[in-house]
Amino acid sequence: MHTAHSPSDGQPGDRRAALREPRALDGSPLVMRGFDGDNDLQGLCQLFSDVFGQSMDTSQWRWKYMQAPSSQHYHAVAAHAHTGQLLGHMGVIILPGVRGGQPIRMAHATDLMVSPLARTGLGPDSVYRHIMHTVRERALDAGPDAAPLFMYGFPGQRPATLAMRLGIQRRLQICTQYALPATTAPRGTLAQWWARVGRRPLQAVAQPADAQSWSDAVLDPIWQRRAGELAAQAQTDPAGARPSLVKNAAYLRWRYLLHPQQNAAGSGGAPLYTLWLLQRQGQPPCGWVVTRLQPQPIVVDSCLPGGPQAVVAALRALPLPATLAPELSLQPIETPWISWLRHPQAQATETPIWATAMQGAQFHENWPSPEFQPGDTDVF
């Protein structure tokens, strides 16, 4: 239990005050503690529903926090001292990452929840401050010999601004979606046929939603090549090296193929996520893209070779969403795929999602922002 201010909470520029015993809105004492396994699952799912107005079942909670490969998780939980009711929470999922050629730990802080019964403001006895304090303190539990830890999250503008004003977090970026302009010429013209066929263009091949198609043998070589590119880039620009999740086959299977809603009813019974392998005729796959059609056609994740032109080639290789979901064909123009991949010719639109990182030297506040994609959040 962490309820008192400690030296590790006193980074330069940190505007947090010494903590007092946390209290609920009615003045009742609260207890800060960690996650109590199965004993907490129902209470946390109920808290999620109370705070966000959306359902969360225990199977999805287990998948999210407990089933990612090579992962760890910890939690800051605020419980009523007398009744045991859970009134506050923040969870951290720690996944393997790299920065250049260096292994790191990517810590996604998420599900910040404070019950209306415990919203007492931002004073030193507030649940909010105690949760943030506990999350920061627990990040040091792995010891000094552990791989560097980069902690990030995806709040909306208002909570992000609050955390930045208090000196708890720093802004990384406003997540922005990009779209290629819809093509104006029919896809069947001779010029477009030659562009697609005569130059051995990139092709996107949809994969079945099964473990064999998402196997280590298929996907790990693509990630290994990408990891080599990241390491080479860091050699020429060490300070500019970006943190990145290790997006190998095991990660993709957990994040998309085994997602609790992957095979839920909807979209005519089609899987929620589709994996596309990118390749040229006669050559092995050079990249992959994961898409979903609802609530709008979007590239959720990708692993692409090269620079911005590879993004354009990959997006152009994907079939038009209208051909995958017939209801989209009712729209007057072709519906382009959107993504968070910056590229030329893009139409950019800021989203309500902000990416932030935990402030403080122990969280490597000099590192630049990762190149986040929608699938890095827990929204898509």
Side-chain angles (χ1 to χ4, degrees):
M1 183 171 66
H2 304 277
T3 57
H5 181 75
S6 70
S8 62
D9 257 345
Q11 296 299 324
D14 193 338
R15 291 173 287 281
R16 284 165 290 145
L19 299 180
R20 298 196 300 265
E21 182 181 36
R23 296 280 175 175
L25 191 60
D26 64 1
S28 301
L30 304 178
V31 175
M32 294 300 305
R33 60 171 176 80
F35 178 61
D36 192 18
D38 288 350
N39 295 326
D40 278 346
L41 287 181
Q42 290 292 347
L44 287 171
C45 289
Q46 182 60 53
L47 180 62
F48 188 95
S49 177
D50 292 343
V51 172
F52 296 121
Q54 301 175 8
S55 62
M56 165 74 77
D57 60 39
T58 57
S59 63
Q60 184 158 349
W61 190 277
R62 290 178 185 277
W63 165 82
K64 181 175 182 177
Y65 284 103
M66 304 177 192
Q67 296 175 6
S70 304
S71 68
Q72 298 173 303
H73 64 99
Y74 71 89
H75 306 257
V77 176
H80 194 286
H82 303 315
T83 67
Q85 182 181 2
L86 304 187
L87 299 177
H89 168 270
M90 190 174 202
V92 179
I93 310 162
I94 304 176
L95 295 164
V98 294
R99 182 173 181 257
Q102 178 187 26
I104 64 172
R105 294 174 294 151
M106 293 286 283
H108 181 184
T110 184
D111 292 331
L112 172 60
M113 304 181 287
V114 179
S115 166
L117 300 177
R119 294 177 185 171
T120 59
L122 300 173
D125 62 350
S126 67
V127 172
Y128 176 86
R129 284 185 179 270
H130 275 269
I131 285 175
M132 288 298 186
H133 171 88
T134 302
V135 164
R136 293 169 63 88
E137 290 293 284
R138 288 290 309 279
L140 305 176
D141 286 355
D145 296 328
L149 183 141
F150 183 78
M151 185 177 291
Y152 60 95
F154 300 95
Q157 179 178 358
R158 184 176 178 182
T161 302
L162 171 63
M164 291 186 292
R165 179 167 60 85
L166 294 175
I168 298 172
Q169 297 175 356
R170 63 186 176 98
R171 192 177 88 174
L172 294 174
Q173 64 188 66
I174 299 175
C175 298
T176 301
Q177 67 184 32
Y178 301 89
L180 289 173
T183 56
T184 54
R187 283 200 160 202
T189 64
L190 178 62
Q192 289 183 326
W193 175 87
W194 177 251
R196 294 197 308 272
V197 178
R199 302 177 187 174
R200 290 196 175 186
L202 204 61
Q203 296 178 329
V205 182
Q207 302 301 298
D210 57 51
Q212 181 177 356
S213 302
W214 297 58
S215 68
D216 295 359
V218 172
L219 296 172
D220 280 353
I222 298 174
W223 166 252
Q224 290 163 2
R225 285 196 295 272
R226 178 57 181 158
E229 291 178 356
L230 295 174
Q233 292 169 6
Q235 291 290 328
T236 58
D237 182 16
R242 298 179 183 272
S244 174
L245 286 167
V246 172
K247 294 187 176 180
N248 56 15
Y251 171 85
L252 290 182
R253 288 193 295 270
W254 163 73
R255 178 61 182 85
Y256 302 112
L257 185 63
L258 301 178
H259 190 286
Q261 297 178 1
Q262 168 69 344
N263 295 306
S267 299
L272 179 63
Y273 300 106
T274 300
L275 171 69
W276 306 80
L277 292 182
L278 302 173
Q279 57 190 117
R280 289 180 167 82
Q281 186 175 5
Q283 299 179 11
C286 61
W288 53 258
V289 169
V290 175
T291 63
R292 61 180 287 177
L293 290 174
Q294 303 297 339
Q296 59 183 336
I298 187 170
V299 173
V300 176
D301 211 340
S302 66
C303 184
L304 306 176
Q309 290 302 329
V311 174
V312 175
L315 293 177
R316 292 294 191 202
L318 289 171
L320 286 175
T323 67
L324 303 174
E327 65 272 16
L328 296 176
S329 64
L330 300 177
Q331 299 184 21
I333 61 172
E334 295 176 346
T335 304
W337 291 99
I338 61 173
S339 73
W340 288 6
L341 300 167
R342 187 191 305 270
H343 56 80
Q345 312 166 32
Q347 299 169 341
T349 305
E350 290 185 351
T351 75
I353 303 172
W354 288 31
T356 60
M358 200 64 78
Q359 188 80 17
Q362 73 270 38
F363 298 108
H364 307 282
E365 59 189 0
N366 61 321
W367 288 4
S369 175
E371 294 181 326
F372 288 121
Q373 300 190 60
D376 298 325
T377 76
D378 51 9
V379 176
F380 294 87

